[in-house]
């Protein structure tokens, strides 16, 4: 049972991790609580489904990621940047954006359940547990994407600019860093991470117009659990929630439907004991 | 003289136009039209309306009526309130005379309240919850007598049938794998309609023969109806050593179940209810990994439940290029049942139509339809039974009822083939 928990938990962590990092990035830098984050993830999955009908996997995936990136930047330019000062309005606008995407997809693709064929069919036995090769591929992909994102933020001038803008907006501006440009980069990177998560999950998930709801809840919980805006916090939050879910299914089979509820309970408990989240103390420094 | 000629022509024209200018009956077809369930309700009704109109419409008393269908999108998948509002609008603004359709039990409960308020005859063709009719029509007849259910059979009858299918698979495990006491895992979505089924199944599986299946329940897993990943559940079921998985799934979770089960080649044969596996899009939706999945269904290709089954399927496929799901055969039958009742009643007055509907004995594409005292369709041999189907070689094949013995009666439909265990299940367990 331990092996099953370990293997399944790790695979789920990779996917939640990608989603949570993108969300935390958008908030940490551009100060936007983007409730349309997982709707971008859904849009990428559907775009992949659509383009696969016309193209091979690689060009279809590339086109899907670019499409979602363009969509996110357009939404930022048109709707979010002008309203950035009004946090509540931004929240409402992003949820409206998510619902618009949901309705648009319902209109274009109908309410049918769709699926994207796996790149790697079949399964492997890892520690005696059957794991779909596609899931292992998604885990590897998630690891790679997270490493690249980390390298970009920590090791490049662009990343430095983004982090500086996040840390102290006035000082960054005095040093010649364009806050507006940093915002675009953060939103773009966040959306790109959501899109990549969508591409990784599409061959394992069922595509339907409400598929953004459940992961949004988990992502919100993960970033709050980790400390809102903290990038390592978001990742740790994602891992904790993923393992909590897998533990519930394995230890309490009759209550498997409670997996998300138990994960949220952990969130509430952490917040009661440590309201700033797990990485809350490092919050200012991290941003 | 010229005047007279014109008047004569006018009189002749009126005389000719008189009988031809039939009146219209407006029938509201209710359903979530962006989803396959609503779409097929509409298609099934359209097919019946076209046939009835082509045959000259419905004779009611000495009047002929043409059928005009009104498409009512209930949006019931997302909003029960929208569904009730849509029915109200159909009655008051779109002036429909009768109502047919509905899919989600929760929404149909609200929709039937509105229909009862306006005393409109409503033939349900999608929702299964017993309580939509039981406890309402029998206890409060005057208010709810306008409601009838044509399809599917009610939840408790679906439960009986799915347990009969489970029995078939347990038998196959005993026979083909030589496992004396097969192990069964129950995988049921978390929903009110599934609870009694889980309880009955657990009892029946473990009970000794001949009442029970003399098998072992290795565990009960209850994922959410909207779970998108059941890998942890499947891993645990495999670890529990199950040879059979009894599924009770009506929600979207049916798709990830089929896909993950096929991809991981879990050595346990799934049978029970999986609504997603009832549709012809099943293999596509599961990336072709849903082969060998077995589920309760209403229709299957080339299986003649009644003489009307094959012509209905053929006409439906020719017209809509899809295989009909149960809401299609239900709506199709509902229109014929209504037409028949109107003819017998000789009036469109609701109370008289209700009395005529109560006397219905109609053979439709999915069985013989006779309403019981709660206005529910009668289940059992000689009436409507349902089918057990399995995905074999890229298509849906029926495996039940085949030599189904009920008292002295043996029920079999032409075109039903034996159940087949998935090859990897055979490989894993054959002794």
């Amino acid at each position: 049972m331990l092996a099953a928990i370990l293997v399944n938990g790790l695979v789920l962590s990779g996917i939640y991790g990608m989603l949570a990092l993108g969300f935390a990035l958008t908030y940490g830098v551009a100060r936007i609580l983007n409730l349309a984050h997982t709707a971008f993830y859904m849009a990428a999955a559907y775009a992949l489904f659509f383009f696969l009908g016309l193209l091979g996997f690689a060009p279809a995936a590339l086109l899907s990621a670019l499409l979602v990136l363009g969509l996110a930047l357009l939404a930022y330019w048109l709707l979010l940047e002008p309203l950035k000062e009004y946090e509540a309005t931004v929240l409402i606008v992003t949820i409206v954006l998510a619902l618009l995407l949901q309705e648009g997809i319902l209109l274009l693709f109908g309410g049918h359940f769709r699926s994207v064929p796996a790149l790697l069919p079949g399964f492997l036995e890892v520690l005696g547990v059957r794991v779909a090769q596609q899931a292992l591929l998604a885990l590897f992909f998630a690891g790679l994407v997270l490493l690249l994102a980390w390298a970009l933020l920590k090791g490049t001038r662009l990343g430095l600019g983004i982090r500086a803008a996040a840390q102290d907006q006035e000082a960054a501006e005095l040093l010649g860093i364009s806050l507006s440009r940093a915002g675009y980069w953060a939103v773009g990177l966040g959306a790109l991470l959501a899109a990549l998560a969508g591409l990784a999950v599409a061959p394992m998930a069922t595509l339907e117009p409400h598929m953004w709801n459940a992961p949004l809840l988990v992502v919100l919980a993960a970033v709050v659990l980790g400390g809102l805006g903290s990038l390592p916090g978001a990742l740790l939050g994602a891992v904790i929630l993923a393992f909590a879910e897998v533990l519930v299914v394995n230890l309490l089979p009759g209550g498997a439907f409670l997996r998300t509820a138990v994960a949220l309970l952990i969130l509430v408990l952490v917040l009661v004991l440590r309201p700033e989240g797990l990485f809350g103390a490092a919050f200012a420094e991290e941003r | 003289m010229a005047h007279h000629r014109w008047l004569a022509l006018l009189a002749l024209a009126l005389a000719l136009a008189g009988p031809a200018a039939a009146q219209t009956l407006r029938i509201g077809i209710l359903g979530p039209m962006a989803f396959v369930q609503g779409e097929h309700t509409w298609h099934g009704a359209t097919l019946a309306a076209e046939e009835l109109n082509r045959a000259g419409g419905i004779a009611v008393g000495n009047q002929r009526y043409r059928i005009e269908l009104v498409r009512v999108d209930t949006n019931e998948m997302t909003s029960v309130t929208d569904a009730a509002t849509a029915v109200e609008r159909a009655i008051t603004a779109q002036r429909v005379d009768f109502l047919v359709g509905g899919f989600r039990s929760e929404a149909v409960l609200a929709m039937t309240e509105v229909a009862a308020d306006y005393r409109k005859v409503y033939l349900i063709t999608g929702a299964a919850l017993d309580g939509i009719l039981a406890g309402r029509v029998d206890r409060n007849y005057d208010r709810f007598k306008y409601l009838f259910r044509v399809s599917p059979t009610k939840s408790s009858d679906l439960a009986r049938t799915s347990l009969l299918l489970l029995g078939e698979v347990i038998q196959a495990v005993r026979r083909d794998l030589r496992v004396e006491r097969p192990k069964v895992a129950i995988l049921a979505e978390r929903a009110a309609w599934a609870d009694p089924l889980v309880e009955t199944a657990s009892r029946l599986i473990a009970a000794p023969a001949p009442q029970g299946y003399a098998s072992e329940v290795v565990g009960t897993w209850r994922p959410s109806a909207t779970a998108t990943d059941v890998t942890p559940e499947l891993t645990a079921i495999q670890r529990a050593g199950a040879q059979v998985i009894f599924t009770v799934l009506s929600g979207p979770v049916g798709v990830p179940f089929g896909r993950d089960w096929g991809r991981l080649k879990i050595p346990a044969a799934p049978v029970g209810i999986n609504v997603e596996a009832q549709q012809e899009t099943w293999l596509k939706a599961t990336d072709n990994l849903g082969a060998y999945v077995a589920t309760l269904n209403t229709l299957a290709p080339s299986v003649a439940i009644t003489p009307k089954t094959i012509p209905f399927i053929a006409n439906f496929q020719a017209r809509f290029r899809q295989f009909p799901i149960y809401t299609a055969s239900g709506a199709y039958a509902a229109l014929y049942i209504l037409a028949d009742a109107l003819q017998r009643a000789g009036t469109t007055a609701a109370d008289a139509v209700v009395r005529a509907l109560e006397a219905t004995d109609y053979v439709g594409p999915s069985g013989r339809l006779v309403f019981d005292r709660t206005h529910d369709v009668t289940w059992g041999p000689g009436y409507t039974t349902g089918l057990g189907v399995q995905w074999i070689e890229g298509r849906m094949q029926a495996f039940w009822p085949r030599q189904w013995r009920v008292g002295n009666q043996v029920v079999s439909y032409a075109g039903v083939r034996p159940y087949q265990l998935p090859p990897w299940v055979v490989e894993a367990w054959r002794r």
Side-chain angles (χ1 to χ4, degrees), chain B residues 311-353:
Chain B
F312 166 73
I313 295 174
N315 290 341
F316 191 93
Q317 284 184 312
R319 177 82 166 77
F320 303 109
R321 312 245 158 260
Q322 289 178 60
F323 186 81
I325 67 166
Y326 74 93
T327 56
S329 53
Y332 179 84
L335 253 68
Y336 272 99
I337 285 173
L338 185 62
D340 173 53
L342 281 163
Q343 268 167 7
R344 280 187 285 110
T347 165
T348 57
D351 283 22
V353 177

Side-chain angles (χ1 to χ4, degrees), chain B residues 76 80 83 103-112 127 129 132 191-193:
Chain B
E76 61 195 84
V80 169
F103 170 65
R104 254 185 80 201
S105 290
E106 296 90 326
V108 171
L109 270 173
M111 284 147 70
T112 48
L129 187 77
I132 292 175
W193 75 275

Side-chain angles (χ1 to χ4, degrees), chain A residues 177-196:
Chain A
I177 291 168
S178 160
L179 289 184
S180 166
R181 201 182 306 155
Y184 276 102
W185 274 106
V187 167
L189 266 176
L192 196 61
L193 280 168
L196 292 178

